Amino acid sequence: MEVAPLLSFSSSLSPLCHNRALTLTPKTSKPSNYRRLPVIRSAVSRSKKEETVETVKSHLENCHLLAAINYKGLTVKQFQDLRRTLPDTTKLVVAKNTLVFKAIEGTKWEALKPCMKGMNAWLFVQTDEIPSAIKPYRSFQKERKLEDNDFAGAVFEGKFYAPDNFKALETMPTRAEVYAKMLGALQSPAINLVSTLQAPAIEVIMVLKAYVKKLEDESNNA
């Protein structure tokens, strides 16, 4: 009895089969450096945050007043125009509340904590002429009709000033004026007080220096 031969198949695949096999091949894995990109971005972001904190700290040196301004809705051009109106002794910085608070934490400026909400720009006033430093923004705010972009608060000499108390900052006398009044109280003729208060600040300072020198000379001769 003859046994029917077993069916056999060629081990070679047709081109179609090859193509089908390639199609089913799993996708290659992504390059090894692909997973490192988020780490690099995180490092850059952390570096920028640290740089911002250091910038805030540097502006706080010789700073007399730090104020927060609600800048929500202001355009880049408006910021550029505003910066041009500010004197050299005043700096305007846009920074996140968390980074600013990190820079002021543990210092007298920490009293500004109530302003750590919303979108703020930060005004660093590096002169004791507070009214003249605030006035440029007030004028800009009025001209551009930016009633909603008001001061959120400020710290001066360790004390927090809410928006309702800003009038006290805007009308306060300068140190030169205070010294002039003190000098006037020590001099008898009333006309001297009036003329001193009307003089430019530099002249008032010169008068004060001359008066101090006079007291020193009298003390040495005694």
Side-chain angles (χ1 to χ4, degrees), residues 6-120:
L6 296 174
L7 294 176
S8 63
F9 296 91
S10 173
S11 60
S12 62
L13 297 175
S14 67
L16 180 60
C17 292
H18 278 296
N19 289 341
R20 191 171 299 170
L22 290 173
T23 303
L24 296 176
T25 302
K27 294 181 180 179
T28 57
S29 60
K30 294 178 180 178
S32 59
N33 63 350
Y34 178 82
R35 297 181 181 277
R36 295 174 188 164
L37 289 178
V39 178
I40 295 174
R41 291 190 186 123
S42 177
V44 172
S45 177
R46 184 168 59 252
S47 176
K48 286 184 178 180
K49 289 178 181 179
E50 292 173 353
E51 183 180 345
T52 299
V53 172
E54 291 305 315
T55 298
V56 172
K57 288 182 178 181
S58 67
H59 285 325
L60 288 175
E61 296 177 6
N62 302 319
C63 186
H64 292 264
L65 178 141
L66 175 58
I69 300 173
N70 177 17
Y71 81 92
K72 186 177 181 179
L74 290 181
T75 65
V76 174
K77 185 178 185 306
Q78 286 175 323
F79 264 111
Q80 292 173 343
D81 293 342
L82 173 59
R83 281 196 171 101
R84 281 193 286 267
T85 67
L86 299 176
D88 294 336
T89 54
T90 304
K91 310 296 182 185
L92 184 66
V93 176
V94 176
K96 290 184 177 181
N97 299 333
T98 53
L99 299 180
V100 173
F101 187 73
K102 185 176 181 180
I104 67 176
E105 192 173 13
T107 71
K108 64 180 180 180
W109 306 106
E110 191 175 357
L112 203 61
K113 188 175 181 179
C115 296
M116 298 300 158
K117 56 186 177 181
M119 300 173 65
N120 293 312

Side-chain angles (χ1 to χ4, degrees), residues 141-179:
Q141 183 185 24
K142 185 177 180 180
E143 291 172 2
R144 304 301 177 93
K145 299 180 180 179
L146 302 172
E147 291 81 5
D148 294 334
N149 300 105
D150 201 359
F151 286 103
V155 170
F156 174 66
E157 294 185 343
K159 179 182 177 181
F160 177 73
Y161 288 79
D164 295 339
N165 306 127
F166 255 73
K167 194 69 176 177
L169 293 173
E170 295 175 271
T171 58
M172 67 184 301
T174 64
R175 293 187 186 276
E177 290 173 336
V178 172
Y179 293 153

